[in-house]
Amino acid sequence: MKTLETKDYIVFLVYFLIIAAYGFWVYRRKKTANASSKDYFLAEGSLTWWAIGASLIASNISAEQFIGMSGSGFKLGLAIATYEWMAAATLMIVAIFFIPVYLKNKIYTMPQFLNQRYNSTVSMIMAVFWLLLYVVVNLTSILYLGALAINSISGISLNLCMFALAIFAVVITLGGMKVIGYTDVIQVFFLILGGLVTTYLALNMVATHYGTSGVLNGFSFLTEKAGEHFHMVFKKDNPNYMDLPGLTVLIGGMWIVNLNYWGCNQYITQRALGADLKTARSGILFAAFLKMLMPVIVVLPGIAAYLLYREGAFQTEMLQGGEVNPDRAYPVLLNLLPAGLKGLSFAALTAAVVASLAGKANSIATIFTLDIYKKVININANEKKLVWIGKATVIIAMLLAIVIAPNLGIDKKGGFQYIQEYTGFVSPGIFAMFILGFFWKRTTSNAALFATIGGFALSVFFKLLPTFADLSFLASTGFSKDNGTGVFEIPFLDRMGFVFIICVVSMYIISMIESRKTEVVEEWVEDEEIPVYADDIIAAETTTARKVKKAKGLEVDTSMFKTSPGFAVGALIICGLLVALYTVFW
C-alpha cells in the first residue's frame, strides 16, 4: 500500500527535526566571522575521523544502491556485492597511497591536481567535464531516482518529492562541508538502522514462508533454496556474465571502477582533503568497515524478494508494463513494513538521497568556484565573494537538476548496472591520467590529454565494435558473449580494462617520445625536495648563469606511505574478512 500512516509521519518528522537542529547547531558553533573558502568547501581541520567515514558512506549510498542494487540482488544475487566489498579493499589503497599525495601537495580539488601536475588546459577541460557530469548525470539521477523511490513508498506526488528532497539538500549544503560532514553521521545512523529493519523483515518473511521464524533461519533457507544466488564469481555460462564477467571482479575492471570512484573523484575525496593524514586515514578505514556491512542492507533484501517471488509472492507488485522489474524489489518490501517501522525505513531512504545530493552539490560548487570562477571569471575575488558564489552555485545546480531530471528517461534506463556501465566510458582514461601522474614523473601533459579524450573515444569504439565485427572468437576466453541476438559483445568491465591498458601504454609512448626532446636534468630546487626537469629551467644568456623555477610535478616520497600500527591492523582485518567472504561464497 503506497501510503504512510500517522506513526510514519511522526517518525519521519523526528528524523527531519534532528537533522535540521543538529545541522543548525554545528553551523552556529563552528561559524567564524571571516570563514575562508577552503573552510566552507572543505571544513579544513574541522571534521573528525568518524565524521569523515560517515560522510563518505552517506555520500556514496543513495537511491541507486537501495533500489538499484537490491534490484540487482533480485536478478544477479550476492555477486553484485562485489561493488561494495571490493570498494572496502580499494579504500585501503586510497588511504595508503592516494590521500598522502593529495595532502602533502595541498590538493583541494581534482582540477587543481591536474593543473599542478600537468597544465591549465588539462585542468580546465576536466573541470568543465566534471561539472557537466555531476549536474546532468549524477545530480539529476540521484534526485529523480530518490524521488521515484519515495513516491513508490509514500504515494506522494513525484514532483513534490523532487522539490522536497532538493530543498532539504540545499538547506544542509548551504551550511558548508562542516554541516554536511557532521549531519552525515546522523544520516548514516538512520540509513543503517532503517536498512537493517528492512533486511530483518525480508529474512523473517522467508523464515515464516517455510513455517518457522527468525532472521538466522531465514538466511539459512535463503542460502539453501536460492543457492544459485550466492555465488560471487560467475562462470561463462551464467546468463548474467555480461554484468559481472568472472574473475574480472577480482583482478580486472572492477579495480578501475573503484579506484577511479574512491581515489580520483572530487565528490568523494573532498571529505578527506581538509583533514590531517592520520584523521583522513582513520576516517577512510571506518568507511571501509561500513562498506563491508552494506550488502546486508542493500543486497540481501533483493535476494529475499527473489525467493519469495519465485515461491508465489509479489506476483503483481513486481510487474511493470507486464514484465518483472527487479528494481521494484526494495519498494515492495518497504510497503509491507508495519506503521512506524515504515516511517523509519522511509527516513533511511530519504537520508541516503539527501546526503548524496548535498555532497554532490557541494562538489559542484567547489569545482565551479575554485577552479573556474576564481581562475577565469574573477581572479581577484575575495574569500567572502567565493563563499557567496559557492552558495549560489548550489541553488542553481539543484534548480537545473529539477528541470532536467524528468526529461532524461532515467526511470526507463535506470538500474545500478546501467549507471556503472556508462560511468565506465570515462573512468579508464581518467584513472590512467591520475595514476601515472601520481607515480611516474615523466608523464606529460599531452599524454594526459590523450587519456582524457582518447579514453572516451576508445570506450565508444569498443562499445560499437560488435556491430561491425564478429567477436565470437573471443567467447572461449570469456571476453565476449552472445547477447541473445547472435551478436557477441564485450562485457563492460572487460571493456574498461582494455581501454585502461591502451591508455597507459599510449601515455607511456607519448611521454617517452616527448622526454627525448627534453633531457631530464637531475637538479633540485634549493630548500625544496622537488625534482626539476629541463623544461622547467629558464636558461640565462650564459651557460653558467641560470634561474630555476619550481618544478611542475608533485612532491612524493616513500615515507609518505607508511601507516600507523592501528591502521595496519584495521586494514588486515578488512583483507581477512574479504578473503573469508569470497572463499565461502565463491
Side-chain angles (χ1 to χ4, degrees), residues 95-96 281 559-568:
I96 296 170
R281 277 180 168 165
S559 64
M560 295 162 52
F561 307 129
K562 293 178 181 178
T563 63
S564 67
F567 179 90

mmCIF file of all heavy atoms in Angstrom, residues 95-96 281 559-568:
data_model
loop_
_atom_site.group_PDB
_atom_site.id
_atom_site.type_symbol
_atom_site.label_atom_id
_atom_site.label_comp_id
_atom_site.label_asym_id
_atom_site.label_seq_id
_atom_site.Cartn_x
_atom_site.Cartn_y
_atom_site.Cartn_z
ATOM 1 N N ALA A 95 43.673 5.203 0.951
ATOM 2 C CA ALA A 95 44.176 5.754 2.214
ATOM 3 C C ALA A 95 45.696 5.693 2.293
ATOM 4 O O ALA A 95 46.355 6.619 2.782
ATOM 5 C CB ALA A 95 43.559 5.004 3.393
ATOM 6 N N ILE A 96 46.280 4.609 1.802
ATOM 7 C CA ILE A 96 47.729 4.420 1.911
ATOM 8 C C ILE A 96 48.493 5.222 0.855
ATOM 9 O O ILE A 96 49.505 5.866 1.167
ATOM 10 C CB ILE A 96 48.092 2.919 1.798
ATOM 11 C CG1 ILE A 96 47.500 2.145 2.983
ATOM 12 C CG2 ILE A 96 49.609 2.731 1.757
ATOM 13 C CD1 ILE A 96 47.596 0.638 2.840
ATOM 14 N N ARG A 281 43.037 9.052 7.174
ATOM 15 C CA ARG A 281 43.173 7.598 7.050
ATOM 16 C C ARG A 281 42.226 6.856 7.990
ATOM 17 O O ARG A 281 41.619 5.849 7.614
ATOM 18 C CB ARG A 281 44.626 7.191 7.329
ATOM 19 C CG ARG A 281 45.533 7.329 6.121
ATOM 20 C CD ARG A 281 46.952 6.921 6.435
ATOM 21 N NE ARG A 281 47.743 6.781 5.219
ATOM 22 C CZ ARG A 281 49.062 6.709 5.185
ATOM 23 N NH1 ARG A 281 49.757 6.774 6.331
ATOM 24 N NH2 ARG A 281 49.703 6.571 4.046
ATOM 25 N N SER A 559 58.300 7.679 2.317
ATOM 26 C CA SER A 559 57.941 7.814 3.737
ATOM 27 C C SER A 559 56.475 8.232 3.912
ATOM 28 O O SER A 559 55.882 7.997 4.969
ATOM 29 C CB SER A 559 58.854 8.840 4.415
ATOM 30 O OG SER A 559 58.655 10.135 3.862
ATOM 31 N N MET A 560 55.898 8.836 2.880
ATOM 32 C CA MET A 560 54.504 9.274 2.952
ATOM 33 C C MET A 560 53.554 8.093 3.080
ATOM 34 O O MET A 560 52.434 8.231 3.562
ATOM 35 C CB MET A 560 54.130 10.064 1.685
ATOM 36 C CG MET A 560 54.877 11.369 1.515
ATOM 37 S SD MET A 560 54.815 11.986 -0.193
ATOM 38 C CE MET A 560 53.067 11.964 -0.520
ATOM 39 N N PHE A 561 53.976 6.920 2.631
ATOM 40 C CA PHE A 561 53.073 5.778 2.537
ATOM 41 C C PHE A 561 53.124 4.862 3.760
ATOM 42 O O PHE A 561 52.451 3.830 3.795
ATOM 43 C CB PHE A 561 53.383 4.976 1.268
ATOM 44 C CG PHE A 561 53.398 5.825 0.021
ATOM 45 C CD1 PHE A 561 54.466 5.794 -0.861
ATOM 46 C CD2 PHE A 561 52.336 6.678 -0.263
ATOM 47 C CE1 PHE A 561 54.482 6.592 -2.006
ATOM 48 C CE2 PHE A 561 52.346 7.480 -1.403
ATOM 49 C CZ PHE A 561 53.420 7.437 -2.263
ATOM 50 N N LYS A 562 53.925 5.244 4.757
ATOM 51 C CA LYS A 562 53.963 4.458 5.998
ATOM 52 C C LYS A 562 52.674 4.671 6.785
ATOM 53 O O LYS A 562 52.143 5.777 6.827
ATOM 54 C CB LYS A 562 55.166 4.871 6.844
ATOM 55 C CG LYS A 562 56.512 4.514 6.206
ATOM 56 C CD LYS A 562 57.671 4.987 7.076
ATOM 57 C CE LYS A 562 59.010 4.657 6.423
ATOM 58 N NZ LYS A 562 60.159 5.161 7.224
ATOM 59 N N THR A 563 52.173 3.606 7.400
ATOM 60 C CA THR A 563 50.919 3.697 8.154
ATOM 61 C C THR A 563 51.161 3.438 9.640
ATOM 62 O O THR A 563 52.174 2.859 10.026
ATOM 63 C CB THR A 563 49.891 2.677 7.634
ATOM 64 O OG1 THR A 563 50.400 1.352 7.849
ATOM 65 C CG2 THR A 563 49.630 2.878 6.150
ATOM 66 N N SER A 564 50.215 3.847 10.451
ATOM 67 C CA SER A 564 50.288 3.598 11.885
ATOM 68 C C SER A 564 49.947 2.137 12.167
ATOM 69 O O SER A 564 49.256 1.493 11.365
ATOM 70 C CB SER A 564 49.312 4.510 12.629
ATOM 71 O OG SER A 564 47.968 4.157 12.308
ATOM 72 N N PRO A 565 50.394 1.579 13.294
ATOM 73 C CA PRO A 565 50.053 0.186 13.630
ATOM 74 C C PRO A 565 48.541 -0.046 13.688
ATOM 75 O O PRO A 565 48.059 -1.080 13.240
ATOM 76 C CB PRO A 565 50.691 0.012 15.012
ATOM 77 C CG PRO A 565 51.821 0.989 15.039
ATOM 78 C CD PRO A 565 51.325 2.171 14.270
ATOM 79 N N GLY A 566 47.793 0.924 14.222
ATOM 80 C CA GLY A 566 46.341 0.783 14.316
ATOM 81 C C GLY A 566 45.685 0.658 12.958
ATOM 82 O O GLY A 566 44.806 -0.189 12.749
ATOM 83 N N PHE A 567 46.118 1.491 12.026
ATOM 84 C CA PHE A 567 45.567 1.432 10.673
ATOM 85 C C PHE A 567 45.931 0.101 10.018
ATOM 86 O O PHE A 567 45.097 -0.521 9.338
ATOM 87 C CB PHE A 567 46.088 2.585 9.823
ATOM 88 C CG PHE A 567 45.583 2.588 8.410
ATOM 89 C CD1 PHE A 567 44.408 3.253 8.085
ATOM 90 C CD2 PHE A 567 46.262 1.893 7.403
ATOM 91 C CE1 PHE A 567 43.920 3.244 6.777
ATOM 92 C CE2 PHE A 567 45.788 1.875 6.107
ATOM 93 C CZ PHE A 567 44.615 2.554 5.797
ATOM 94 N N ALA A 568 47.177 -0.335 10.197
ATOM 95 C CA ALA A 568 47.621 -1.590 9.589
ATOM 96 C C ALA A 568 46.783 -2.766 10.086
ATOM 97 O O ALA A 568 46.399 -3.643 9.298
ATOM 98 C CB ALA A 568 49.097 -1.821 9.907
#
